[in-house]
Amino acid sequence: MSLAGITLDKLVIIALLAAFLIGPERLPVLAEKLGALVRGLRDLAGGAKERMREEIGPEFDEVDWQKLDPRQYDPRRIVMDALKEPSAPPEDFASAAAKASVATVSGLPQRQRGPMRFDDEAT
Protein backbone atom coordinates (compact mmCIF):
# COMPACT_ATOMS: atom_id res chain seq x y z
CA MET A 1 0.00 0.00 0.00
CA SER A 2 1.39 3.39 -0.99
CA LEU A 3 -0.11 6.75 -0.14
CA ALA A 4 1.49 9.63 -2.07
CA GLY A 5 4.72 7.64 -2.43
CA ILE A 6 4.97 6.84 1.29
CA THR A 7 4.97 3.12 1.94
CA LEU A 8 4.26 1.45 5.27
CA ASP A 9 7.94 0.94 6.13
CA LYS A 10 8.70 4.63 5.51
CA LEU A 11 5.73 5.61 7.67
CA VAL A 12 7.01 3.43 10.53
CA ILE A 13 10.48 5.00 10.26
CA ILE A 14 8.96 8.51 10.31
CA ALA A 15 6.86 7.60 13.39
CA LEU A 16 9.92 6.22 15.22
CA LEU A 17 11.97 9.33 14.38
CA ALA A 18 9.12 11.57 15.52
CA ALA A 19 8.80 9.65 18.79
CA PHE A 20 12.54 9.87 19.38
CA LEU A 21 12.87 13.57 18.45
CA ILE A 22 9.71 14.80 20.17
CA GLY A 23 10.15 12.71 23.27
CA PRO A 24 7.75 10.67 25.37
CA GLU A 25 6.54 13.71 27.35
CA ARG A 26 5.22 15.76 24.42
CA LEU A 27 4.21 12.89 22.11
CA PRO A 28 0.74 12.23 23.68
CA VAL A 29 -0.11 15.94 23.56
CA LEU A 30 0.88 16.22 19.90
CA ALA A 31 -0.97 13.00 19.04
CA GLU A 32 -4.10 14.44 20.67
CA LYS A 33 -3.73 17.66 18.68
CA LEU A 34 -3.24 15.67 15.47
CA GLY A 35 -6.38 13.64 16.23
CA ALA A 36 -8.36 16.83 16.85
CA LEU A 37 -7.08 18.27 13.56
CA VAL A 38 -8.11 15.15 11.62
CA ARG A 39 -11.56 15.16 13.26
CA GLY A 40 -11.97 18.85 12.47
CA LEU A 41 -11.07 18.31 8.81
CA ARG A 42 -13.46 15.36 8.59
CA ASP A 43 -16.28 17.46 10.11
CA LEU A 44 -15.47 20.32 7.73
CA ALA A 45 -15.68 18.01 4.71
CA GLY A 46 -18.93 16.48 5.99
CA GLY A 47 -20.41 19.94 6.58
CA ALA A 48 -19.49 21.02 3.07
CA LYS A 49 -21.12 17.89 1.67
CA GLU A 50 -24.31 18.51 3.65
CA ARG A 51 -24.41 22.15 2.56
CA MET A 52 -24.04 21.09 -1.09
CA ARG A 53 -26.87 18.59 -0.60
CA GLU A 54 -29.09 21.35 0.90
CA GLU A 55 -28.31 23.90 -1.83
CA ILE A 56 -28.44 21.60 -4.85
CA GLY A 57 -31.32 19.48 -3.62
CA PRO A 58 -32.15 15.95 -4.72
CA GLU A 59 -29.99 16.24 -7.85
CA PHE A 60 -26.90 16.03 -5.62
CA ASP A 61 -27.54 12.36 -4.88
CA GLU A 62 -28.23 11.59 -8.56
CA VAL A 63 -24.77 12.75 -9.72
CA ASP A 64 -22.33 9.94 -10.40
CA TRP A 65 -19.26 11.43 -8.72
CA GLN A 66 -17.02 8.56 -9.84
CA LYS A 67 -17.65 9.51 -13.47
CA LEU A 68 -16.45 13.07 -12.79
CA ASP A 69 -13.16 11.94 -11.27
CA PRO A 70 -10.39 13.27 -13.55
CA ARG A 71 -8.33 10.13 -12.93
CA GLN A 72 -11.00 8.16 -14.82
CA TYR A 73 -10.37 9.95 -18.13
CA ASP A 74 -8.36 7.90 -20.59
CA PRO A 75 -7.46 9.79 -23.78
CA ARG A 76 -7.21 6.56 -25.76
CA ARG A 77 -10.75 5.58 -24.80
CA ILE A 78 -12.08 9.05 -25.65
CA VAL A 79 -10.49 8.92 -29.11
CA MET A 80 -11.76 5.40 -29.75
CA ASP A 81 -15.30 6.41 -28.72
CA ALA A 82 -15.14 9.42 -31.03
CA LEU A 83 -13.99 7.24 -33.93
CA LYS A 84 -16.80 4.75 -33.35
CA GLU A 85 -19.51 7.44 -33.63
CA PRO A 86 -21.28 7.42 -36.99
CA SER A 87 -20.24 10.28 -39.19
CA ALA A 88 -22.63 12.61 -40.98
CA PRO A 89 -23.48 11.77 -44.59
CA PRO A 90 -21.19 13.45 -47.12
CA GLU A 91 -22.50 16.64 -48.69
CA ASP A 92 -21.86 17.98 -52.13
CA PHE A 93 -19.54 20.95 -52.44
CA ALA A 94 -22.21 23.51 -53.32
CA SER A 95 -24.37 22.85 -50.27
CA ALA A 96 -21.31 22.75 -47.99
CA ALA A 97 -20.06 26.07 -49.40
CA ALA A 98 -23.49 27.62 -48.95
CA LYS A 99 -23.45 26.65 -45.25
CA ALA A 100 -19.86 27.75 -44.72
CA SER A 101 -19.02 31.12 -43.29
CA VAL A 102 -16.25 31.62 -45.83
CA ALA A 103 -17.03 34.15 -48.52
CA THR A 104 -16.75 32.87 -52.05
CA VAL A 105 -15.88 35.07 -55.00
CA SER A 106 -17.99 34.58 -58.08
CA GLY A 107 -17.37 37.86 -59.86
CA LEU A 108 -13.74 37.30 -60.89
CA PRO A 109 -12.89 38.24 -64.47
CA GLN A 110 -12.66 35.22 -66.72
CA ARG A 111 -9.46 34.74 -68.65
CA GLN A 112 -9.60 34.41 -72.35
CA ARG A 113 -9.53 30.95 -73.76
CA GLY A 114 -6.39 29.79 -75.44
CA PRO A 115 -2.77 29.40 -74.36
CA MET A 116 -1.54 31.11 -71.20
CA ARG A 117 0.28 34.34 -71.82
CA PHE A 118 3.86 34.34 -70.66
CA ASP A 119 5.98 37.36 -69.87
CA ASP A 120 9.60 36.45 -70.54
CA GLU A 121 10.85 39.78 -69.16
CA ALA A 122 9.32 39.19 -65.75
CA THR A 123 11.57 38.12 -62.91
Side-chain angles (χ1 to χ4, degrees), residues 1-99:
M1 183 173 100
S2 175
L3 179 68
I6 299 176
T7 58
L8 186 61
D9 56 346
K10 291 179 185 176
L11 194 59
V12 169
I13 292 172
I14 291 172
L16 289 174
L17 282 174
F20 181 73
L21 293 175
I22 293 172
E25 299 87 23
R26 293 187 303 175
L27 190 61
V29 175
L30 289 177
E32 185 178 332
K33 287 182 181 179
L34 180 65
L37 176 69
V38 169
R39 280 190 299 276
L41 289 175
R42 187 176 52 206
D43 293 342
L44 181 69
K49 188 175 181 181
E50 287 300 318
R51 185 170 177 189
M52 288 284 291
R53 185 171 281 124
E54 288 173 5
E55 290 183 6
I56 294 178
E59 294 89 19
F60 181 78
D61 293 326
E62 295 172 3
V63 175
D64 186 13
W65 296 105
Q66 293 290 356
K67 261 179 122 173
L68 299 176
D69 187 5
R71 295 173 290 182
Q72 300 292 325
Y73 291 113
D74 182 18
R76 293 171 293 195
R77 183 180 48 83
I78 294 170
V79 170
M80 291 302 293
D81 290 344
L83 291 175
K84 288 179 185 177
E85 291 179 1
S87 60
E91 298 181 35
D92 62 328
F93 179 75
S95 64
K99 292 180 185 177

